[in-house]
Amino acid sequence: MGRLWPLLAITTCTLLTACGPGDTAADSQAPASTSTPAAVKTTTKPVTTSTKQVAGADLPKCGDIPGAGAMPHDPLPDCRLSSRDSAALSFIVRHKAGHGGNPWTAIDVTGSDGKVLQTLDVRDTEIPGEPYLADLDVDGRDELVVPVSTAIVGNSTYVVFRPKAAKLEFVEAGKVFGIGVDRTASGYIAAMSKSGPADKYIEFQRFDGSRLVFVAEIIQTFDKDGHSTCRVDDEKGVPESEFSDEEVVRCFCGEQLLRTSPVG
């Protein structure tokens, strides 16, 4: 698929059941995470019963386009995604140039009959990467993950759209910053980022209804012999964690990050 997906395991410690994420009822509205640094403009046209149809069958599959996005300013071709969950939706991804040449991405969510159910407009998508689908919380429905910007050492910002319960509507859940979007064995959404060769940062979020909420962030520091120490990152100015510093170290320094397999 042309992406680098990290699979990493850091120093193992005992996890308790209380470390797992809490209630994720699909219709609650908790505040979105404020821990991701990027500012991305996203607009969503509501679900409709439109009879508009779009031709997407002849478009290439996103992520399977040889050479696409090889250079930072390479234009990306339009492409398509298909969910493999019970909703069986298709996503027609079109890359556009807005006023002043700022790129943006329009994604038509279509039903099995090809009719447009919803359009997601993600503005200022400055990274040469295609959206993809993945069941981040293993609930049987695919989330839509859209890369929007990139920073140093391969870190990128992703906008995550989550399906709203059993409905066909997608809502913006929040943003994730790191080298790919992963999950953990205990059910958190996680992303590992780097600031240099010695330090790795891992941020943990969870779904609360239709929103991603911040849980904790740890820093793993390596010495020249390859040994590492793990501590709480308390310098980001993010909202207070629901865990104490001691609980963060106990619960998250031993978390295993699992690869999320793109579908569609």
Side-chain angles (χ1 to χ4, degrees):
M1 299 290 291
R3 298 187 189 86
L4 177 62
W5 293 98
L7 176 64
L8 58 97
I10 54 182
T11 309
T12 304
C13 70
T14 303
L15 297 177
L16 302 181
T17 303
C19 295
D23 179 24
T24 57
D27 290 322
S28 63
Q29 294 295 325
S33 167
T34 60
S35 58
T36 303
V40 180
K41 298 177 182 178
T42 304
T43 60
T44 304
K45 297 179 183 178
V47 175
T48 67
T49 56
S50 169
T51 58
K52 174 187 174 184
Q53 291 182 301
V54 294
D58 56 340
L59 291 176
K61 183 178 176 181
C62 296
D64 275 358
I65 307 167
M71 299 300 290
H73 299 291
D74 276 0
L76 288 170
D78 297 340
C79 60
R80 61 179 172 82
L81 295 167
S82 300
S83 66
R84 297 179 185 173
D85 60 19
S86 58
L89 300 174
S90 294
F91 302 77
I92 309 304
V93 180
R94 304 192 189 281
H95 301 283
K96 302 175 181 291
H99 295 295
N102 294 326
W104 58 285
T105 302
I107 304 172
D108 286 326
V109 184
T110 68
S112 58
D113 57 1
K115 294 179 180 178
V116 177
L117 303 172
Q118 184 182 18
T119 297
L120 306 172
D121 288 334
V122 184
R123 304 300 174 119
D124 299 326
T125 49
E126 299 172 354
I127 182 175
E130 295 288 12
Y132 66 94
L133 298 168
D135 187 358
L136 298 178
D137 53 352
V138 199
D139 67 347
R141 289 293 306 277
D142 296 330
E143 276 74 41
L144 175 66
V145 182
V146 184
V148 294
S149 65
T150 187
I152 62 171
V153 203
N155 302 320
S156 298
T157 298
Y158 302 83
V159 177
V160 177
F161 292 90
R162 193 186 195 199
K164 197 171 183 180
K167 301 177 183 179
L168 301 181
E169 178 184 3
F170 280 74
V171 295
E172 182 179 343
K175 302 177 181 68
V176 176
F177 180 76
I179 304 173
V181 183
D182 298 301
R183 61 182 180 85
T184 73
S186 58
Y188 289 101
I189 311 302
M192 185 271 290
S193 59
K194 295 181 179 180
S195 62
D199 292 328
K200 290 182 180 179
Y201 297 76
I202 304 177
E203 181 176 293
F204 300 89
Q205 300 187 56
R206 63 178 174 83
F207 283 118
D208 188 344
S210 299
R211 300 292 181 187
L212 277 171
V213 295
F214 172 83
V215 176
E217 182 168 50
I218 59 173
I219 305 174
Q220 188 181 20
T221 302
F222 294 84
D223 61 26
K224 62 181 180 180
D225 297 322
H227 300 101
S228 66
T229 58
C230 179
R231 67 187 190 280
V232 176
D233 180 11
D234 55 4
E235 299 177 357
K236 291 188 63 177
V238 294
E240 270 189 38
S241 171
E242 60 196 77
F243 296 95
S244 68
D245 285 2
E246 293 77 11
E247 288 172 330
V248 169
V249 170
R250 173 173 55 81
C251 291
F252 295 99
C253 282
E255 274 282 26
Q256 183 181 17
L257 271 63
L258 306 176
R259 174 183 177 181
T260 56
S261 301
V263 299

